[in-house]
Amino acid sequence: MRRSNIELLRIASMLMIVMFHFSVHGPWPETGPLASQVAVEMLSFGGKLGVNCFVLITGYFMVRGSLKVTSLLRVALETWFYSFALLGIFLVVQPDLVTPEKLEKALLPLMSGEYWFITCYVALMAASPFLNLLYRHLGAVGMSRLAAVGFVVLSLVPTASTFNPLGSDLVWFFYLYLLGGWIRDLTESDNAAGQSRAKAGGLCRLDPVRIAERMGGWAIVGGVGFVWASMTVLGWAHQVFGFDRILPDYFIWQYMVPTFIASLGTFLAFQKLAIGSVPWINRAAASALGVYLIHDNPIMRAWLWPHVAGLYAAGWPAILAGGIGAALAVYALGALIDAARRTWLEKPLLAWISRRFAARLARADRWFAGITREG
């Protein structure tokens, strides 16, 4: 049974990601009223927070499980479908948007970087059995120390110094995946084994999950408030004094301390929601990845976001309202499209693949499961 509190987090995360794309891909002028510039920047904040939450969710559910080949195949097929379908549509209706670079990326969506998140996410899924094995053998103290070391090296140092010694989205995804499982062990009262591990002595004070848990709601309020305040101050300094050593959006990136701690706080807040299983939430959340693949396709976004250009002249209230409204509209329409795809294409195709290649799929699943059992 799907847990609707976590599924609701999927929806909220994707809405924040759409608002981020509204901000960063919209045709906004480089200079303009400070209030309008800050409004655009404010809408960008939640995008990387949403990315963090998506990966945390994956680790939360998968770190104690086993990779299924059909899950990997489902993501790949969905990516290929939307890349090819949108390419075909725009070749017919607006071919001028299909540049040679976009054509090349569309034909090889998993390897070309057309969707950076999908490329990293598929690699994460493929590596998950090895990460599960690592997690299994770390123990509570080892995992807490890994969380603390990762916090210092991957988040604290880059935030304080602008130097990221391991500047890789995939390394960050590996770290978040392990943290997702660690959150489950630290916080879930129905997980007796995890609670036993969590109560063991020697857990690190710099463990970011424990920091966010102690902060409670302040992890979100403090993280969001700090980033928004920094956007205002840095934007003002840039306009008045020409200060550009630190850009207004400096603190929004996924590994920056305020965004990272706010991500953990957001995950913990949704985890505590007691809403049971809500069918409409579960159905809407099942299309979250499809919404991403539709609206952030490079050809689609070249067509989509110029339509909101007129909001800038209307002032900051219109920008904020437009960003929120665009996110809701994109999600609603994308979810309807993706529900049709899943019903009429994905389910029959995966059912046929499962019947036709049942023995091979079972062998592959056993192979992946065997990795986790090693040692």
Side-chain angles (χ1 to χ4, degrees):
M1 180 180 294
R2 285 181 175 269
R3 301 175 57 167
S4 294
N5 56 336
I6 303 299
E7 299 307 308
L8 185 61
L9 177 58
R10 290 187 202 272
I11 297 172
S13 297
M14 185 51 62
L15 288 171
M16 289 188 288
I17 289 170
V18 177
M19 285 189 282
F20 171 79
H21 292 148
F22 171 93
S23 172
V24 300
H25 296 311
W28 316 119
E30 293 186 6
T31 58
L34 178 61
S36 296
Q37 293 286 344
V38 171
V40 171
E41 296 286 357
M42 287 175 69
L43 289 168
S44 72
F45 169 69
K48 298 307 179 181
L49 188 154
V51 168
N52 284 347
C53 286
F54 263 106
V55 184
L56 288 169
I57 290 170
T58 304
Y60 183 83
F61 286 116
M62 285 187 63
V63 81
R64 287 189 277 123
S66 178
L67 175 65
K68 303 297 182 185
V69 176
T70 51
S71 298
L72 198 59
L73 188 60
R74 180 180 288 109
V75 175
L77 290 174
E78 185 174 356
T79 303
W80 286 327
F81 171 80
Y82 281 120
S83 185
F84 296 161
L86 290 170
L87 173 62
I89 290 170
F90 280 102
L91 281 173
V92 173
V93 301
Q94 199 166 344
D96 60 294
L97 292 179
V98 185
T99 64
E101 180 184 4
K102 290 173 183 169
L103 175 62
E104 180 182 349
K105 287 187 174 183
L107 293 175
L108 296 169
L110 293 175
M111 297 180 289
S112 65
E114 181 180 38
Y115 300 102
W116 75 268
F117 176 85
I118 294 296
T119 300
C120 287
Y121 190 73
V122 169
L124 172 67
M125 292 182 72
S128 63
F130 303 96
L131 296 172
N132 294 352
L133 179 63
L134 171 64
Y135 186 85
R136 175 183 165 187
H137 287 283
L138 277 172
V141 174
M143 185 58 221
S144 187
R145 290 176 179 174
L146 175 63
V149 170
F151 178 47
V152 172
V153 174
L154 300 176
S155 182
L156 193 58
V157 170
T159 301
S161 68
T162 72
F163 171 63
N164 192 339
L166 294 173
S168 164
D169 289 318
L170 186 56
V171 171
W172 182 249
F173 276 25
F174 288 169
Y175 176 61
L176 289 178
Y177 179 91
L178 294 170
L179 284 187
W182 183 226
I183 288 174
R184 191 165 187 171
D185 277 354
L186 272 176
T187 60
E188 289 209 346
S189 59
D190 62 345
N191 177 11
Q195 288 294 298
S196 176
R197 295 176 71 195
K199 291 177 181 177
L203 301 189
C204 291
R205 291 184 178 274
L206 280 175
D207 180 336
V209 176
R210 299 185 70 215
I211 292 172
E213 191 177 18
R214 289 195 298 269
M215 291 179 68
W218 287 107
I220 305 173
V221 174
V224 175
F226 179 88
V227 173
W228 281 350
S230 70
M231 286 176 173
T232 303
V233 172
L234 291 170
W236 172 80
H238 177 69
Q239 286 204 356
V240 175
F241 301 108
F243 178 79
D244 59 1
R245 291 192 63 185
I246 301 177
L247 297 176
D249 65 353
Y250 177 75
F251 291 103
I252 72 169
W253 302 104
Q254 56 263 40
Y255 48 83
M256 292 294 177
V257 170
T259 298
F260 177 37
I261 295 298
S263 303
L264 294 173
T266 301
F267 190 97
L268 290 168
F270 275 86
Q271 185 199 27
K272 293 173 183 176
L273 288 178
I275 60 176
S277 181
V278 183
W280 74 264
I281 291 178
N282 299 342
R283 287 195 296 269
S287 293
L289 187 61
V291 171
Y292 167 73
L293 291 169
I294 293 169
H295 91 276
D296 203 41
N297 176 279
I299 306 172
M300 170 61 80
R301 68 174 179 241
W303 172 84
L304 175 63
W305 296 122
H307 287 81
V308 302
L311 289 172
Y312 195 86
W316 68 265
I319 294 171
L320 293 176
I324 295 169
L328 292 170
V330 165
Y331 198 104
L333 183 57
L336 288 174
I337 294 170
D338 192 64
R341 179 199 62 84
R342 286 185 287 110
T343 300
W344 296 330
L345 182 62
E346 180 180 271
K347 289 180 180 179
L349 179 58
L350 287 179
W352 178 82
I353 290 173
S354 297
R355 290 193 305 269
R356 179 67 177 79
F357 302 100
R360 294 180 184 179
L361 291 173
R363 283 198 300 272
D365 287 345
R366 288 194 298 270
W367 187 83
F368 281 119
I371 295 171
T372 306
R373 290 195 297 267
E374 288 295 324

